Structure formats: C-alpha cells, structure tokens
Amino acid sequence: MTNGKEDKEITIYDIAKRLKISPATVSRALQDHPRISAKTKKKIFELADEVGYRRNHFAGNLRSQKTQTIGVIVPRLNSHFMSSVIAGIELMANEHGYSLLISQSSESARKEADSAEAMFNSRVDGLMVSLAYDTNTLDHFDKFFRKKTPVIFFDRVKPHRSATSILIDNYQAAYDATKHLIEQHCKKIVHITAPPMQNVYKDRLAGYRSALEDAKIKFREENVIVTNLTQEAGYESAEKILKMKPLPDGIFVANDSCAIGCMIALKEKGIRIPEQIAFVGFNNDPMSTVIEPKLTTIAYSGFEMGEVAGRLLVNHLNSTSQINNTTTIILRSDLIVRQSSLKSPAGH
Amino acid sequence: MTNGKEDKEITIYDIAKRLKISPATVSRALQDHPRISAKTKKKIFELADEVGYRRNHFAGNLRSQKTQTIGVIVPRLNSHFMSSVIAGIELMANEHGYSLLISQSSESARKEADSAEAMFNSRVDGLMVSLAYDTNTLDHFDKFFRKKTPVIFFDRVKPHRSATSILIDNYQAAYDATKHLIEQHCKKIVHITAPPMQNVYKDRLAGYRSALEDAKIKFREENVIVTNLTQEAGYESAEKILKMKPLPDGIFVANDSCAIGCMIALKEKGIRIPEQIAFVGFNNDPMSTVIEPKLTTIAYSGFEMGEVAGRLLVNHLNSTSQINNTTTIILRSDLIVRQSSLKSPAGH
DNA sequence: TTGTATGCGTTATCAC
DNA sequence: GTGATAACGCATACAA
C-alpha cells in the first residue's frame, strides 16, 4: 500500500527528515552499523520499508569506490557447460549482492582482450575468465593484476602468480579415460583434441600419453588429431580416421560435441561402435546420452565450478585481508561409462 | 606507454588542469558536444587517451539518472535457445554501450518476481523478459510500467498495453508441423505440451487443433499430454502413449528435449520411428540432429530474437520520443523436415 | 550513540 | 565557445 506519489525516489534524507534524525544515522542503520541503537534501527528499517526506499548504487559506489560487480568472460555462452557455470556464478553473486557483467570472447584472444578492457573500464570488483581457444598470453589482464583486482581463471586457465585457478585434474581424467579404453582391449587408440595451447588440452594429451605408456603401448604422434573440437570438426576427423591402417579400435576425444560429430560420420560409413571403434568423450554434455550408443565421458559439474569460483571471489572481496592469490583449486571429475566404450558385454 | 604512477584514476579535472581549461569543457568534449571547437576537442581526446582516462560510470549515472544497464530475466540460462538469445542481446547491447544484468527465474514465477525486484532496485534502463513456466500475471512488472521503464517480452510473452512482445507465430508453426504429419498419412496425432498458461503452448495447441480440424480429423482432448516438457517428462510420457489404443502414428511435441526423451523411451520399447510413430519437435536444438532418426522440428533463431530485442530496446532508450510501446514483432520460423517424420520415403 | 560536514566524478544550468 | 558552480545520493572522518 503505497500512498500518494510513487515516482519520486526516496533518499536517506527523506527518511531522516521524517524521523527527525540525521542522514548519517540513517545511512549507518541501513548498513546495520553496530553503533546504532536497535530502537532507531528498527524505526528506520520500518519507515524505509514503508516508503519503498531503495539504495542508489551509483551514489554509494561512487562514494565507496566499489562497484559490486563481477565481470565474467567466457569463450561462448551457448554451451551446456558454460551456461551451467554462469548459472553457478549467478547464484553465489546474487546471494551476496553482486551483479554479473557477462561477455563472450567467441574463442578469440582479441575479443577477449577487448572484453577485458571493457570490464576494466567498468571497474569490476573482480574478474572471472575462461580463456579463449587461442589465448597464449595474459598481458591483457595486466591492468587488473597491477590494480590488485582479483582475477580467477576457471577450466581453461593459465598459471599466473597473482591469479587463482579453478579446474579439474585434466591429466588424471584423460589418463582414466584412456586406461578405460585399454581395459576394453583397445590396442590402437586415437586422441582427437585441440592445439595444446590451453592447459586442458595439453594435460589431456599428457594423460592419454601416460596411460598408453604405462600399458606398454607406444605413443605415436600420428594418432593424435588436432582440430577445433566442434561437432563439424568431429565429422571431418572421421575421414582421417577411415584412412588409417589399421583402423583404430578406440578413440578418446577431448570433448563430447566433437566425439559425437565423429561418431555420426563413422556410423554413416558403416562403422560399428563400440565393436569396431570404442569412444570416450569429455564433458558429459546432455547430448552424450542421446547419441547411440550412449557416450562414455568424463563428467564434471559446471554449476559447481561456477559456485566455487563465485564463492571464492565473494569471500575474497568481502574480506579486507589480502588473501594469497596464487591458489589452484582442483575439482572432482568422474568417468561415466556408457555403451560407446563397452566392447566386452557389461564389464567382462 | 604510461609514464609514472598508474594507479591513480584520472578525472576530467586532471585533464582540465593540464590543458588549462575548465572541467565543464572537458566533460562536453568527451560527450562530443556540438558547441565545442574541433581544436579543443582534439586536444582533449588526445590527452585523455594518453593518460588513460576512463569515465566513471557511477558519477555520470548518478548525475544523469541513467544506468546504461539492461536487465534480462530468462527461465534458464543453460538451454541452447536461451543462451543464443543472450548472445544476441549481448552483441547489440555492447555495441551501444549498454551492460547486461542477467538473472534466471528457474521457471518459477516467484523467483521471477524476485529478480524483477532486484532489477528494479538496480534501476535498469530497460528490461527484457522471457516468462517463467508458471507466470500468470504481470503484476510484478507494474513498477516498471508505472515508471515508464521499457519492458520487452520475448518468446514466452503475455500481451500488455505498455510492453513490446517479440515472438514467432506459434500458431502457424504448430499448424504446419501438424499438417506435415497429416501429409505423412498420420491419422492419430498426439500432442505433448506444457500447460497452456504461456502463449507459446496455448498457440501451439491451437495450431495443432486447427490443422487437425482442417483435415477433418476430430480433435480429442485425450490425445493431448500435458507435461513440463523436460527430457525426463518426455521419457515418462512414453508410458502413457504405449497405453493408448490404438497407438498414435504421429506425435507433435512442443519442444525438442521432450520429444527426444520420448523417442528414446519408445525406441527402448521397440517402437520403430518413424514407421510406427512419426515425430515432430520444436526449437531445432542441436540435439535434434544427434538423435536417431534425426528429428523434424520447427527452427527459429534465438540469436536473431536476441538481436532484434536488443536493437529495439537500444533504439527506444536512445530516442527521446515516447515510442508506441504496445508493439508485437513476429519473427520467422521454419519447418525443418528430417527423418523422424518421413513415413513415405523422401517426400512420396 | 548520533550529528555535521565534506567529497566521490560527473553533468547541467546558468552566466559570460 | 567556454567557465563557474550546483547538484546527484551516499558514506565516512571528525565532533559532540
């Protein structure tokens, strides 16, 4: 029930006047300042509520030199994984009164730098980034580092002495994936991945290689196919695979979309999966249960990664202490076995 | 090449001082004010550039009472369609100096109202909303309407005299989808949809019904299955369908995920698609080409919808004139025929 | 525990 | 074409 004119914004001055107290007291009460008596606080809160007071962020932020805004730069928005991450971040941020400024690099280092610049100009309090496909330097974040604005890299990260990283153990996950194929008696295992410029692909390649070597299978350069990991790339990779002699009997792909593109193409050529070629993907995209046979994959939660990153940043921002910045957080990932990799009926 | 201390923010005062002119002139020049001489403008721009001046949004917005921020509320972030819409909005917004404040309602009218409240408190210059599953009133946007803050509904819309709507012709699309099934000689066509509370489902139901009636097929209430349209719901709907006698020979589902869930379940029960039951979905989700057989569906571009909505809002905000608000914009949609609906080999 | 006074960096309204 | 000056709404150092 608002009575009278609704369109005039209420300020702390209005409240102060009506309560015959000073604006400073109102300001402090609204911030739950300890040195204000419970009584006055109550009065103030009640009136504020009644007249529909809303804090003017611009005035407050101008004064306090804080923006209450977190910048997020991702390669693309429209992947299941990334939008889950954003959802996780959004949850934490909203809970703590932060807003999100979201921007996509479209997998381009240049656009990533532009976005960083824009974020910097917006004076975000903190920045969360998953690096673009071809980012190979962190120079465009120097401004943030110099200004001690916290920067968190997630999933696609590069180590930096003044940034936090959140990721999974890509090496181990790839090792497990490859080992699983070996246990299914695969002898020639191909790895489809992106250029090893990003940690995720470098580590997955290393895990793949180690698993092979531990099983006394020789690692061969020619069994690694480097693509951009899109579904189309997977489709095209199938041609290369069909030319291999002998045909591989197992393929470990560094992401699900690409694996699925490849599977579709191979199936069209009459290859039987998993009998002739077994498949393991990466990411547990919803599509992995739609493809036939269902895709064995590495699962890790984007939502959780977003939550963790968000919580970390919020804690950092709310604590006055300078937290040690160069942390690395490893989240859990799991191999999910589905039909696409099961040569032997139900785990031999 | 910045020389000296980098951490002190440059203000228009600093520029004014160094150029021995007034801050007012600097401010005007930076806004490209017509009454400032080209010469002084040039000097100012150059120096601003050199010293790395960046405008303080908070001060400016406090003064001008504009936030340069657009609020976006969507049911969920992590669907292909929605993240494409966001990408489209982001493109337009960034181009015109607007930031995006994004929040998800998680398909709950209550959370939607909360988000709207938060957006209102953040004083967004404009709001873009795709309504939650169970939103049946627009009351929680009244504050915006009263304050004449432009509101644009997209995809899941409700008509309102002071809001713009952007959507596709759901009636026609559903009509076409159903007609297509009829042309494939389907006699008993089931429709799986959500409660007709939202325009999209109401209109799709109406289109389905009209197509049937135009083909002299009696519309039957019991052939409409109401669910929440998730993939799981599709899976469960399969049970209901299997109990029908006779079995339907065509199913039109109001979205792809649900269609796919249903197809998977039916295939598990040995039903042949499309021979026994033909399928048409809605949305052209990437999954629709992964499922086997590939899913016939209605395609429309989320990215385009986002772009159009963004452009409209930006134009509105930049023009001083009060544009007629109660516009409705219909975007194009297309029936994409794939194997899931082709009973007769390749279009008879 | 509360009040006074000032400044955060802009933009806008006057003047000149 | 440019300059002085007053807000915008809040938070805080300093008083009381």
Side-chain angles (χ1 to χ4, degrees), chain B residues 243-261:
Chain B
K243 288 199 188 109
M244 291 180 168
K245 41 196 165 90
L247 231 50
D249 50 6
I251 303 185
F252 166 45
V253 191
N255 94 14
D256 283 346
S257 338
C258 184
I260 285 168

Side-chain angles (χ1 to χ4, degrees), chain A residues 54 90 120 123 267 292, chain B residues 54-55 120 267 292:
Chain A
R54 31 181 209 156
E90 199 247 6
F120 187 69
R123 293 166 161 77
K267 288 199 301 181
E292 261 178 77
Chain B
R54 31 180 209 158
R55 177 174 181 279
F120 187 69
K267 287 199 301 180
E292 257 177 82

Side-chain angles (χ1 to χ4, degrees), chain A residues 6 9 54-59 61-62 65 67 77-78 80 83-84 86-87 90 94 99-104 120-123 146-147 231 260 264 267-268 286-287 289-292 294, chain B residues 6 9 54-59 61-62 65 67 77-78 80 83-84 86-87 90 94 99-104 120-123 146-147 231 260 264 267-268 286-287 289-292 294:
Chain A
E6 324 226 358
E9 288 292 344
R54 31 181 209 156
R55 178 175 182 278
N56 185 321
H57 296 148
F58 297 97
N61 295 343
L62 174 59
Q65 304 287 37
T67 66
L77 249 18
N78 54 0
H80 177 79
S83 44
S84 301
I86 304 268
E90 199 247 6
N94 270 14
S99 298
L100 254 39
L101 213 52
I102 298 174
S103 156
Q104 47 186 345
F120 187 69
N121 289 339
S122 298
R123 293 166 161 77
R146 271 204 296 272
K147 221 181 151 214
Q231 191 168 330
I260 285 168
I264 292 176
K267 288 199 301 181
E268 284 173 4
M287 280 198 291
T289 59
V290 171
I291 186 79
E292 261 178 77
K294 295 191 171 64
Chain B
E6 325 225 359
E9 288 291 346
R54 31 180 209 158
R55 177 174 181 279
N56 186 319
H57 296 147
F58 296 96
N61 295 343
L62 174 60
Q65 305 286 38
T67 66
L77 250 19
N78 53 0
H80 177 79
S83 45
S84 301
I86 304 267
E90 199 247 6
N94 270 15
S99 298
L100 253 41
L101 212 54
I102 298 175
S103 155
Q104 46 186 346
F120 187 69
N121 289 339
S122 298
R123 294 165 161 79
R146 270 203 297 271
K147 219 182 153 213
Q231 192 168 327
I260 285 168
I264 292 176
K267 287 199 301 180
E268 284 173 3
M287 280 200 290
T289 60
V290 170
I291 185 81
E292 257 177 82
K294 294 191 172 64

